[in-house]
Amino acid sequence: MSIRVTPRAPASAPYPPAAAPGFRLVPWQLAALAGLLGWAYFPMLRVFADKWVNDPQYSHGFLVPFFSAYLVWRAWKSGPLAAAPLPVLGCSLLAGVLLMRAAAGSLLFHQLDAASFLVSLAAVVLAGGGVPLLRRTGPAILFLAFMVPLPYELERNVGQPLKTAATVSSTFLLQTLGQPAIQDGNLILIDEVRLGVVDACSGLKMMVTFAAFSVGAVLLVRRTRFEKLMVLLGIVPVAIVANVLRITATGLCHVWFSDRAAVDFLHDLNGWLMMPVGLGLLALELWCLKKLVVDPVGSQAHG
């Protein structure tokens, strides 16, 4: 007796889940949006560009838009995105941008106009992709704040305490190095040398530049949240240390060299070396944090 077994038809495989739709912007839409915003904010950008050209402390402003564009490119390549457009909220923010621009124009407050520029970018992102898209592009938008020069009142009110701290610390360091340095207000007296710590020597503008590099490093490196927080908290101390080293080196140049041209050259050179010194201290800080902090994810993978 033979038994014939009829093979069962294979069950139909379920349809694979549809991938989340990715956010894609048509090139002509991107060009039209960039052209419209560029035309609307051209007067403000021209004022800032003049500051970037004529003030070496703000020369990093030319690099900020390119780095923000790179962050947008990284967000673009990070994978599909389930967009949830919020056109009503985006248009409402754009209406608020008009009020901000009107107030900025009446007060001649360029920094408020720059804030409206950032809000307008966020509004367009919300209208086109909603909160998911804003989460991806938010760091790039916020980073554009580093291209904005500081208001004069902020430079004066914050720069004075920094200038005092730089004078006191530089005087102490010069005394430690064996120089008869005495502080007199914002002057450092070394025998016949009178070294004035002026507003440009407060280190505030350099601090802004160093903050831009530090925040950029935090956005790029893969470290724990604690390490990134430590880098952000170290912006002010590292910038002050770099400024104190510059003032101290300038004071030693005045003591060791009598030729005026050589002293002026070394003074400018010390100013240019502030940023490499700050970046070197930042690299040292990242290296120390890497040795001291254990990544729980990496330790579990090795275990």
Coordinates of all heavy atoms in Angstrom, one line a residue, residues 221-228 288-303:
V221 N 33.1 64.2 16.7 CA 33.7 63.1 17.3 C 32.7 62.2 17.9 O 31.6 62.6 18.3 CB 34.7 63.5 18.4 CG1 35.9 64.3 17.8 CG2 34.0 64.3 19.5
R222 N 33.0 60.9 18.0 CA 32.1 59.9 18.6 C 32.7 59.6 20.0 O 33.6 58.8 20.3 CB 32.1 58.6 17.8 CG 31.4 58.8 16.5 CD 31.3 57.4 15.8 NE 30.6 57.5 14.5 CZ 30.4 56.5 13.7 NH1 30.8 55.3 14.0 NH2 29.8 56.7 12.5
R223 N 32.1 60.4 21.0 CA 32.5 60.2 22.4 C 31.3 60.1 23.2 O 30.1 60.4 22.8 CB 33.4 61.4 22.8 CG 34.7 61.6 22.1 CD 35.6 60.4 22.4 NE 36.9 60.6 21.8 CZ 38.0 61.2 22.4 NH1 37.8 61.7 23.6 NH2 39.1 61.3 21.8
T224 N 31.5 59.8 24.5 CA 30.3 59.8 25.4 C 29.8 61.2 25.7 O 30.5 62.2 25.4 CB 30.8 59.1 26.8 OG1 31.8 60.0 27.4 CG2 31.3 57.7 26.5
R225 N 28.6 61.3 26.2 CA 28.0 62.6 26.5 C 28.8 63.3 27.6 O 28.9 64.5 27.6 CB 26.6 62.4 27.0 CG 25.6 61.9 25.9 CD 24.2 61.8 26.4 NE 23.3 61.4 25.4 CZ 22.0 61.2 25.5 NH1 21.4 61.5 26.7 NH2 21.2 60.8 24.5
F226 N 29.4 62.6 28.5 CA 30.2 63.2 29.6 C 31.4 63.8 29.0 O 31.8 65.0 29.3 CB 30.6 62.1 30.6 CG 31.6 62.6 31.6 CD1 31.1 63.4 32.7 CD2 32.9 62.4 31.5 CE1 32.0 63.9 33.6 CE2 33.8 62.8 32.5 CZ 33.4 63.6 33.5
E227 N 32.1 63.2 28.0 CA 33.3 63.7 27.4 C 32.9 65.0 26.6 O 33.6 66.0 26.7 CB 33.9 62.7 26.5 CG 34.5 61.5 27.2 CD 35.1 60.5 26.2 OE1 34.3 59.6 25.9 OE2 36.3 60.6 25.9
K228 N 31.8 64.9 25.9 CA 31.4 66.1 25.1 C 31.1 67.3 26.1 O 31.4 68.4 25.7 CB 30.2 65.8 24.2 CG 30.6 64.8 23.1 CD 29.4 64.5 22.2 CE 29.7 63.6 21.1 NZ 28.6 63.3 20.2
C288 N 43.2 63.1 27.1 CA 43.1 62.8 28.5 C 41.7 62.2 28.8 O 41.6 61.2 29.6 CB 43.3 64.0 29.3 SG 45.0 64.7 29.3
L289 N 40.6 62.7 28.2 CA 39.3 62.2 28.4 C 39.2 60.8 27.9 O 38.5 59.9 28.5 CB 38.3 63.1 27.8 CG 38.0 64.4 28.5 CD1 37.1 65.3 27.7 CD2 37.4 64.2 29.9
K290 N 39.8 60.5 26.8 CA 39.8 59.2 26.2 C 40.5 58.2 27.1 O 40.0 57.0 27.2 CB 40.5 59.2 24.8 CG 40.4 57.9 24.1 CD 41.0 57.9 22.7 CE 40.9 56.6 22.0 NZ 41.5 56.7 20.6
K291 N 41.5 58.6 27.8 CA 42.2 57.7 28.7 C 41.5 57.5 30.0 O 41.6 56.4 30.6 CB 43.6 58.2 28.9 CG 44.5 58.3 27.7 CD 44.8 56.9 27.1 CE 45.7 57.0 25.9 NZ 46.0 55.6 25.4
L292 N 40.7 58.5 30.4 CA 40.1 58.4 31.7 C 38.7 57.9 31.7 O 38.3 57.3 32.7 CB 40.1 59.8 32.3 CG 41.4 60.5 32.6 CD1 41.2 61.9 33.1 CD2 42.2 59.7 33.7
V293 N 38.0 58.1 30.6 CA 36.6 57.7 30.5 C 36.5 56.4 29.8 O 37.0 56.2 28.7 CB 35.7 58.8 29.8 CG1 34.3 58.3 29.7 CG2 35.9 60.1 30.6
V294 N 35.7 55.5 30.3 CA 35.4 54.2 29.7 C 34.1 54.2 29.0 O 33.1 54.5 29.7 CB 35.5 53.0 30.7 CG1 35.2 51.7 30.1 CG2 36.8 53.0 31.4
D295 N 34.1 53.9 27.7 CA 32.8 53.9 27.0 C 32.1 52.6 27.3 O 32.6 51.5 27.1 CB 33.1 54.0 25.5 CG 31.8 54.1 24.7 OD1 30.7 54.1 25.3 OD2 31.9 54.2 23.4
P296 N 30.9 52.7 28.0 CA 30.2 51.4 28.3 C 29.8 50.6 27.1 O 29.8 49.4 27.2 CB 28.9 51.9 29.1 CG 28.7 53.3 28.6 CD 30.1 53.9 28.3
V297 N 29.5 51.2 26.0 CA 29.1 50.4 24.8 C 30.3 49.7 24.3 O 30.3 48.5 24.0 CB 28.5 51.3 23.7 CG1 28.2 50.5 22.5 CG2 27.3 52.0 24.2
G298 N 31.5 50.4 24.2 CA 32.7 49.7 23.7 C 33.2 48.6 24.7 O 33.7 47.6 24.2
S299 N 33.0 48.8 26.0 CA 33.5 47.8 26.9 C 32.6 46.6 26.9 O 33.2 45.4 27.0 CB 33.4 48.4 28.4 OG 32.1 48.8 28.7
Q300 N 31.3 46.7 26.7 CA 30.5 45.6 26.5 C 30.8 44.8 25.2 O 30.7 43.6 25.2 CB 29.0 46.0 26.5 CG 28.5 46.5 27.9 CD 27.1 47.0 27.8 OE1 26.4 46.9 26.8 NE2 26.6 47.6 28.9
A301 N 31.1 45.5 24.2 CA 31.4 44.9 22.9 C 32.7 44.0 23.1 O 32.8 42.9 22.5 CB 31.6 45.9 21.8
H302 N 33.7 44.6 23.8 CA 34.9 43.8 24.0 C 34.7 42.6 24.9 O 35.4 41.6 24.9 CB 36.0 44.7 24.5 CG 36.5 45.7 23.4 ND1 37.2 45.2 22.3 CD2 36.4 47.0 23.3 CE1 37.5 46.3 21.5 NE2 37.0 47.4 22.1
G303 N 33.8 42.8 25.8 CA 33.5 41.7 26.8 C 32.8 40.6 26.2 O 32.9 39.4 26.6

